Amino acid sequence: MKAFLQRTVIAAEMQGRQLLRRRLALAILVALPVALYLAMLSQSKENAIEFGALGMSWSVACAALFAVLAAREAEPRLVLIGFRPAELMLGRFLLLLGGGTAFAALVGVAMTLVSSPVSVAALFGSCLLVPPIAVSLGLAVAAVLPHDLEGTLVIIGLVGIQLALSGGAWVNGILPMNGPIQLAYLAGGFPADPVSLMLAHSLVYVVALLAIAAAGWSLRVRVRRGRPAVPAQ
Amino acid sequence: MGENGCGKTTLLRICAGITRPDAGRVEERGRIGYCPQEPGLLELLNADEHLALFGAAFGLSRKDAVAAGRQLLEELDFPVGDRSVSKDLSGGTRQKLNLALALLGDPEVLLLDEPYQGFDTGSYVNFWDHVIGWRAAGRATVVVTHMLSELSRVDRVMDLTHPSRRSPASPEAGRRPG
């Protein structure tokens, strides 16, 4: 257990070091939700909350996708010499979840100050629900489609559809970011689905996406151990 | 050895366990150190960070992993202490780090896929001296190579070129060089 924790922590640390060194990418990841939020703010400060949350989901999911893709050559080697796929994935998940949550909290504070939401709790709920779903989405996409362009297009497509739809559209209900969207509506004073339903929807998505990510990634980094050789007579 | 596309890298990946064979099985004795042709490095980590991460796989502490790894890097004339991340290193220097990571943890079997690519002449000669040293220390060392000039120094040559395409000068598969 101690070795598992040690390897998970060092995997997370090295993931964090790599992420922090991509300064330009980080700046763009921060700028994207801010730009979406400010653009919508000029039209409707209530709807701007939804755009801010969806912008964050784009950023966090893409950060997770590229974190996996940057390590796709090295990780089979790490598994070959003793890392378990679960240690690498858990380290990455925890690092991205921590970073994403800190980012979401800052965006939540900024949106609270600017948008004066009807429900501050719903606004923060919307923001803080984004990282677990978006990180899981990015990891799952990376496991199924481990290519930069294809993976990015799928994330743009999934989040973009939700951005384009109105809240009542049934399609929203089957897409991953419905929970944060509904909470954003609640924060803006619009009618929304019950909170328990949003949380259950989000939880199901996180569990399903992580299961896909774990299964897909374990297959990709799997090492087939040879049989022990029988000594020659 | 063998012509381009004959399956040298695939064979080594199968031996390492990274690629599944269509048929047959791999038997192994001892822990494997694998050095891929394309350095399997993390572009935004420096050498010490690679050593700490790879060393953790063997249960080495950060301090022990970096100390052991730096010793290996020094033997390969790597600029130890350079804080550059791997993407900023020259091709040959990246390969030295790649090779040192395969050697970390004292594996009993070394699978090296053209590990000297980008090496300057001195480093290349030094590499083959190291191969002889690893062999003398009891490590089974498999090197994928195009460099026929070094074949006289090895115990066994496997030519994977299809027999119909093999030149008369090629050694027979499995032949021990005379």
Side-chain angles (χ1 to χ4, degrees):
Chain A
M1 190 63 189
K2 189 182 167 194
F4 179 89
L5 285 176
Q6 276 176 339
R7 287 196 286 255
T8 301
V9 167
I10 199 162
E13 178 198 333
M14 295 307 166
Q15 184 65 69
R17 286 176 184 266
Q18 293 175 82
L19 204 57
L20 286 174
R21 284 173 184 154
R22 299 195 69 169
R23 293 190 190 93
L24 179 60
L26 276 179
I28 293 171
L29 290 177
V30 171
L32 177 66
V34 173
L36 274 172
Y37 173 70
L38 292 176
M40 195 59 194
L41 196 62
S42 64
Q43 193 177 321
S44 159
K45 68 176 185 179
E46 292 83 10
N47 283 330
I49 298 168
E50 177 198 355
F51 273 57
L54 283 174
M56 268 194 299
S57 67
W58 248 329
S59 294
V60 175
C62 284
L65 171 72
F66 282 90
V68 175
L69 297 184
R72 67 188 147 185
E73 298 295 331
E75 290 198 340
R77 277 186 90 177
L78 289 169
V79 173
L80 175 67
I81 60 173
F83 266 96
R84 294 180 196 160
E87 293 162 346
L88 296 168
M89 197 174 138
L90 183 62
R92 174 173 296 128
F93 178 75
L94 293 176
L95 186 281
L96 290 166
L97 185 65
T101 302
F103 175 45
L106 288 175
V107 172
V109 170
M111 290 201 296
T112 302
L113 294 174
V114 178
S115 282
S116 308
V118 173
S119 166
V120 173
L123 184 145
F124 271 92
S126 174
C127 290
L128 296 177
L129 212 47
V130 166
I133 305 172
V135 170
S136 310
L137 175 64
L139 295 179
V141 170
V144 177
L145 280 175
H147 305 286
D148 306 10
L149 181 60
E150 291 86 337
T152 308
L153 288 174
V154 167
I155 290 172
I156 288 175
L158 281 173
V159 180
I161 288 170
Q162 296 210 257
L163 200 62
L165 290 171
S166 68
W170 68 268
V171 177
N172 246 337
I174 58 169
L175 290 174
M177 291 298 160
N178 190 48
I181 288 177
Q182 295 295 329
L183 280 167
Y185 284 140
L186 210 57
F190 299 109
D193 293 342
V195 173
S196 56
L197 188 63
M198 298 171 213
L199 294 177
H201 179 280
S202 300
L203 182 65
V204 167
Y205 254 106
V206 168
V207 171
L209 289 168
L210 282 179
I212 292 169
W217 195 242
S218 295
L219 280 176
R220 291 197 183 280
V221 299
R222 185 171 56 166
V223 170
R224 296 155 184 89
R225 302 281 175 204
R227 295 183 185 184
V230 179
Q233 297 299 311
Chain B
M1 58 172 284
E3 63 183 9
N4 291 339
C6 70
K8 303 183 294 293
T9 293
T10 304
L11 176 63
L12 227 57
R13 287 176 62 87
I14 288 171
C15 291
I18 292 173
T19 295
R20 186 175 62 182
D22 292 332
R25 67 168 189 260
V26 175
E27 291 184 353
E28 61 186 41
R29 189 181 304 146
R31 206 165 52 70
I32 290 174
Y34 173 55
C35 178
Q37 190 175 21
E38 294 295 325
L41 303 176
L42 294 152
E43 292 209 328
L44 294 173
L45 293 185
N46 63 36
D48 283 355
E49 289 161 352
H50 274 94
L51 295 172
L53 180 62
F54 278 66
F58 310 115
L60 293 177
S61 69
R62 183 182 309 248
K63 190 179 164 192
D64 290 345
V66 171
R70 282 186 166 200
Q71 195 176 342
L72 291 166
L73 288 170
E74 264 175 26
E75 289 171 12
L76 297 169
D77 290 329
F78 182 95
V80 172
D82 187 339
R83 305 291 300 165
S84 302
V85 295
S86 70
K87 78 177 173 66
D88 293 335
L89 298 173
S90 70
T93 311
R94 279 167 63 88
Q95 275 294 8
K96 288 175 183 175
L97 175 57
N98 190 29
L99 183 54
L101 293 175
L103 291 160
L104 198 62
D106 290 326
E108 288 97 346
V109 180
L110 278 173
L111 303 176
L112 312 177
D113 193 353
E114 299 195 63
Y116 43 71
Q117 288 197 13
F119 280 15
D120 54 37
T121 308
S123 299
Y124 175 73
V125 172
N126 193 22
F127 163 74
W128 282 102
D129 291 339
H130 279 300
V131 170
I132 303 306
W134 297 326
R135 171 186 170 278
R139 284 178 180 159
T141 306
V142 180
V143 184
V144 165
T145 185
H146 285 108
M147 302 299 178
L148 301 180
S149 60
E150 303 299 335
L151 295 186
S152 61
R153 304 178 73 180
V154 305
D155 294 324
R156 189 179 292 266
V157 177
M158 296 284 296
D159 186 353
L160 299 188
T161 308
H162 192 276
S164 64
R165 300 171 62 90
R166 207 174 282 165
S167 76
S170 297
E172 291 166 29
R175 201 198 74 173
R176 291 169 188 274

